[in-house]
Amino acid sequence: DAKTTQPTSMDCAEGRAANLPCNHSTISGNEYVYWYRQIHSQGPQYIIHGLKNNETNEMASLIITEDRKSSTLILPHATLRDTAVYYCIVRVGRNSGNTPLVFGKGTRLSVIA
Amino acid sequence: EPEVTQTPSHQVTQMGQEVILRCVPISNHLYFYWYRQILGQKVEFLVSFYNNEISEKSEIFDDQFSVERPDGSNFTLKIRSTKLEDSAMYFCASSVGRSQETQYFGPGTRLLVL
């Protein structure tokens, strides 16, 4: 089973920041937090991942709390194309390159014009 | 940008028939995976493959399923005798290797078993 808890759905106005929370209170020290999204039954798309430091790339920012029990994915300027199901996944890190991803139900983000 | 490709995009088959789903992973990747998603349900792991052998498989991956890397580029999933409940989207994924865990997914094959 997934080790994360996410809200079922969220709305966000186009152009505003979308902040998607994730709880992972049982995360272990060697487990990373990964975010993927799935746009309308397409293949899951990798967004970002982190261990304990905040991370940023061209798609999003990932804020992980100091105790690592929760995190927030931030899409700084949401567009209609960001409407998707967003999955927060906790996964064992290095030297476990073939660890399967365990998907939960994710958060369905609807970006509204 | 390199990407995982899958063929066919859609496949319709009769119950009991064999199907082969094909994937071309990203060229320098060493780990390969199959996942499936039944309509309206979660994405589920089926199997991972490394160095020409199965690394891990889930309970779903029973004797009806097999995987193969027949040449240097393709990675296939075979379902020997399809059942109605095999109808799903099947996603292939690949990752570079042990120190790079990010898995990149293909667009999927939609399998419909009648």
Side-chain angles (χ1 to χ4, degrees):
Chain A
D1 284 343
K3 296 180 67 171
T4 61
T5 305
Q6 298 178 253
T8 303
S9 63
M10 293 180 65
D11 292 339
C12 177
E14 188 179 20
R16 305 295 294 268
N19 297 288
L20 292 94
C22 179
N23 286 321
H24 31 80
S25 58
T26 62
I27 193 170
S28 300
N30 64 343
E31 290 180 319
Y32 283 67
V33 179
Y34 278 76
W35 283 83
Y36 281 76
R37 72 181 181 183
Q38 189 176 26
I39 299 172
H40 190 56
S41 294
Q42 296 178 21
Q45 178 188 21
Y46 167 77
I47 302 173
I48 199 166
H49 74 282
L51 182 62
K52 51 185 175 182
N53 297 322
N54 297 338
E55 301 288 342
T56 295
N57 63 18
E58 65 278 3
M59 289 184 70
S61 294
L62 174 60
I63 308 299
I64 303 174
T65 58
E66 194 169 338
D67 63 8
R68 302 211 321 124
K69 293 185 177 182
S70 65
S71 60
T72 301
L73 178 75
I74 301 172
L75 308 178
H77 305 287
T79 70
L80 299 178
R81 293 184 197 178
D82 292 321
T83 293
V85 178
Y86 286 77
Y87 301 101
C88 171
I89 299 170
V90 165
R91 184 159 173 256
V92 174
R94 296 186 180 276
N95 296 321
S96 300
N98 62 346
T99 306
L101 293 167
V102 179
F103 288 81
K105 295 184 178 180
T107 296
R108 181 172 298 279
L109 176 69
S110 298
V111 180
I112 302 166
Chain B
E1 184 175 321
E3 57 185 21
V4 177
T5 59
Q6 292 184 242
T7 54
S9 57
H10 295 77
Q11 173 117 29
V12 181
T13 190
Q14 295 292 323
M15 190 170 56
Q17 295 296 304
E18 174 184 285
V19 295
I20 297 176
L21 309 183
R22 291 182 168 80
C23 168
V24 178
I26 295 172
S27 62
N28 63 334
H29 285 188
L30 301 176
Y31 285 87
F32 315 116
Y33 316 80
W34 284 101
Y35 292 79
R36 80 170 185 191
Q37 185 176 33
I38 296 171
L39 185 64
Q41 298 188 23
K42 296 185 278 189
V43 177
E44 301 172 290
F45 167 73
L46 293 178
V47 65
S48 59
F49 191 86
Y50 170 71
N51 200 26
N52 284 320
E53 60 183 24
I54 290 174
S55 298
E56 188 171 347
K57 60 183 180 179
S58 71
E59 292 179 354
I60 303 168
F61 194 87
D62 60 22
D63 292 344
Q64 293 298 314
F65 291 89
S66 63
V67 289
E68 191 178 29
R69 187 154 165 84
D71 53 43
S73 59
N74 289 286
F75 178 52
T76 63
L77 174 69
K78 182 192 291 185
I79 309 175
R80 289 192 184 81
S81 178
T82 50
K83 309 185 193 77
L84 297 177
E85 55 264 37
D86 293 328
S87 296
M89 283 289 289
Y90 288 81
F91 297 110
C92 173
S94 68
S95 61
V96 172
R98 296 182 75 83
S99 64
Q100 296 288 339
E101 299 85 15
T102 300
Q103 296 179 18
Y104 296 93
F105 285 76
T109 293
R110 184 177 297 280
L111 176 65
L112 178 61
V113 182
L114 302 175

